Amino acid sequence: MADETIPVAGLAEPASIVLDRWGIPHIRAESLMDMFFVQGFNAARDRLWQIDLGRKRGLGQLAADFGPGYLEQDRAARLFLYRGDMEREWSSYGDDSRAICERFVAGINAYIGLCEREPERLPPEFAAMGTRPARWQAEDVVRIRSHGWVRNAVSEVVRSNVVAASGAAADLLRQNIEPAHDATAGREVEALPLECLDALELATAPVTFKPERLAARLEDAAAWRKVSPLGEVMREAAAQGSNNWAVHGSRTDTGRPILAGDPHRTHVVPSLRYIIHMSAPGFDGIGAGEPSLPGISMGHNGTAGFGLTLFFGHDQEDVYTYETHPDDPHLYRYGDGWEPMRVLTEKVALKDGGEAELVLKFTRHGPVLAEYPGQRKAIAMRTVWLEPGTAPYFRSIVTMHADSFDAFRRGMAGWGVPATNQVYADISGAIGWVVAGFSPARPNWDGLLAVPGDGRFEWDGYLAAESLPFTLDPPEGYVATANEMNVPDAWHDENRPIGYEWVEPSRAHRIGESFAAEKIHSVESAKALQTDVLSIPARRLCGLLAGVEPEAPEAREAMTLLAGWDHRLSEASAAAALFEVWWTRHLRPAVIERLVPDPASRLLIGLGDVASVIAVLEAPADRMSISDRDRLLAGTLAAAFRTCRTLMGDDAVGWAWGRIHVAHFEHAVGAARDGTSFDVGPFPIGGSESTPMNAAFRPDDFRLVSGASFRMVLDVGDWDRSVCINTPGQSGDPRSPHYADLAPIWAAGDYVPMLYSRAAVDAAAVRTIRLQPVV
């Protein structure tokens, strides 16, 4: 695409956007406020459909564009909007936070105005759906909370059902608890209705465009209260996570620190992340963030590098149950009396020009998720989302300026959501790890089950940020996290637990093995580790087969195929395909079926927690005998071999994990009116949710659902040697050459340069957009 010059009202001085050959924009502005203006303009230039849809979803304004089938999602989103004091909200992020947002949205609105004058600039999704982008307000950036991730309300409700029907041991198969703890001690557990989660699930769900939903009439609105089965929500939550690490110069080939990060989120097109370089007097940084937010949350500023993992184990939400008044369901018991719910009625526009009313209810703890007048019961949720200072990732506008570990840690003290492990490295040679996120202090309960909302169970503020764990220049020469339970033992001895639910530790253990085996690290070794597909679960489970003597010929053939396998889930590996079919489709379900008789509980447990299921198989104890375990292994292995024949043919020589495990980036709209698909893929992929290269998949068809769309490896101090990747491309416009150009590179486990110096950027530049102020 050719260079161009665009006159832009609202810009104070000339600025430019230099695009390199990989679609990474390098903004050059003459002031910080112009820099944020241009960032907003560029976000709209490259991701207008995405950020417009995200804004409408978050504010609860979908029905105005798409009809009554979206009213329930609008209502759910509005329950979780920040509705508190805006002065407290702005001040939580710093004195300039409002000004930054005002300039950022002014840039977005300037590009929308340009599209109104030149409609051909609008991405084709708007024509396909018959909509137009809407103007932004500065408050929109911070009031929308439902794109962030907090936990564990869903788990509390599911736990109540599993424990009530099948006991605490069954629930541990669903979600392991660390540190070990009895969540049900002294309690009679009552199962909460699963549909009480509908509003929460809907508020956080992506927007879908099924024809029947788009055609829904007002009387059909309630039919769209649930957009996905609970099992899908639970599987997606379990697959989210990240890896990051920082290596001291004493352990690198250059003597400089290396910092690496690859957040794992749902795979979509456009990507959830956007890579951008922002430069103005007072700041020069490059990295990734959310396209609808100012600043960057992962990257470097020329002095310090920083990266996050989503998530750390903070438990940031609680479900409350209420006894309601026999004569007025809007009164709930609190203390010795009754307290009224706050009831709001909001009018919303509909696509046909009409209006509808949405009724929103709140207790002192938060939004009312469900009401059961016949049982005199209501259920609500308290979440840090609704507290000042918890706009997801927005604290990055402060932390991206840090030039020392102390400054970074001070900035992270105000980071509310999401709860994260943050790693740090700078040109002085320092490396460190910081826990970030508001962590509620619960004086008299553990947060693992719902509690009465009558005043007996209240938060006592948050754990002091300065008391949260951190590390500076550890003797091991590195810091690394992968969502495992990594709270130091000494910290637990003196403090209440931060949380009990963590991701199973296979990725963390593999990363730890790599650091133990490889004393000197490099950018290349960091790339290799980020794309490592060795499966520790595969190694452990294949080890159990040594004493198995199967009778079925298919089981014997399967054991022959697995013998001598290196346990790497490589895309070309037949053994990898067999193992994942066995583990996912047969062995895990068989263990759950064997140990949990209740069918309803089994549905909620799903495939179970990886660590918990493997622990049962390695040490059956009183749950099953060794001989029973071996028969289970052999029987499911034979069944898996037969399944592989059905999926990939009779000859195992032609099997390959990448034949069935593929990345297909599905666009919400799907296709333009002319039938042109907006989807990207498929690409054969290795790995699984348990490998450092996180590649979680749907068990029904093995299609990838989440993992690292963005990866970066920073050579701290020689910044032009840093590398990164985003997928499927930087742009969200299907007409752009950068819409899908990075996907094949990503699928091959490769990277592109993360150029920083002006000389290196100019040498790789393919297009310059010059922005001129309108006098």
Side-chain angles (χ1 to χ4, degrees), residues 659-678:
R659 283 187 59 185
I660 56 176
H661 184 235
V662 298
H664 181 101
F665 299 95
E666 189 172 9
H667 194 293
V669 172
R673 288 181 174 176
D674 65 1
T676 303
S677 175
F678 296 147

Side-chain angles (χ1 to χ4, degrees), residues 4 6 111 114-115 118-123 733 735 767:
E4 65 176 327
I6 305 173
Y111 190 81
L114 179 62
C115 290
E118 303 175 20
E120 65 275 11
R121 291 184 183 268
L122 273 179
D733 189 331
R735 302 166 301 185
R767 185 184 181 210

Side-chain angles (χ1 to χ4, degrees), residues 149 236-245 260-267 272-273 290 298 308-311 393 481-483 503-504 507-508 511 529-532 688-696 705-712 746:
W149 195 33
E236 181 176 329
Q240 306 284 351
S242 312
N243 308 319
N244 64 7
W245 58 84
D262 53 307
H264 308 154
R265 295 292 302 275
T266 302
H267 281 314
L272 290 174
R273 309 294 185 194
E290 310 278 314
M298 299 162 277
L308 59 84
T309 66
L310 181 80
F311 59 87
Y393 303 100
T481 78
N483 317 118
V503 171
E504 62 96 6
R507 286 185 288 113
I511 292 168
L529 184 52
Q530 283 186 335
T531 55
D532 183 271
S688 75
E689 67 184 16
S690 296
T691 60
M693 191 180 85
N694 189 326
V705 293
S706 69
S709 59
F710 167 73
R711 298 186 182 107
M712 71 174 183
W746 170 88

Side-chain angles (χ1 to χ4, degrees), residues 482-532:
N483 317 118
E484 79 282 15
M485 206 295 284
N486 61 345
V487 180
D489 291 340
W491 194 93
H492 271 311
D493 290 343
E494 300 175 4
N495 299 273
R496 289 189 289 265
I498 289 174
Y500 292 94
E501 297 183 330
W502 309 77
V503 171
E504 62 96 6
S506 295
R507 286 185 288 113
H509 288 170
R510 175 57 185 157
I511 292 168
E513 284 183 354
S514 176
F515 277 100
E518 199 167 355
K519 299 304 181 185
I520 299 299
H521 289 256
S522 65
V523 169
E524 290 302 315
S525 67
K527 291 162 57 177
L529 184 52
Q530 283 186 335
T531 55
D532 183 271

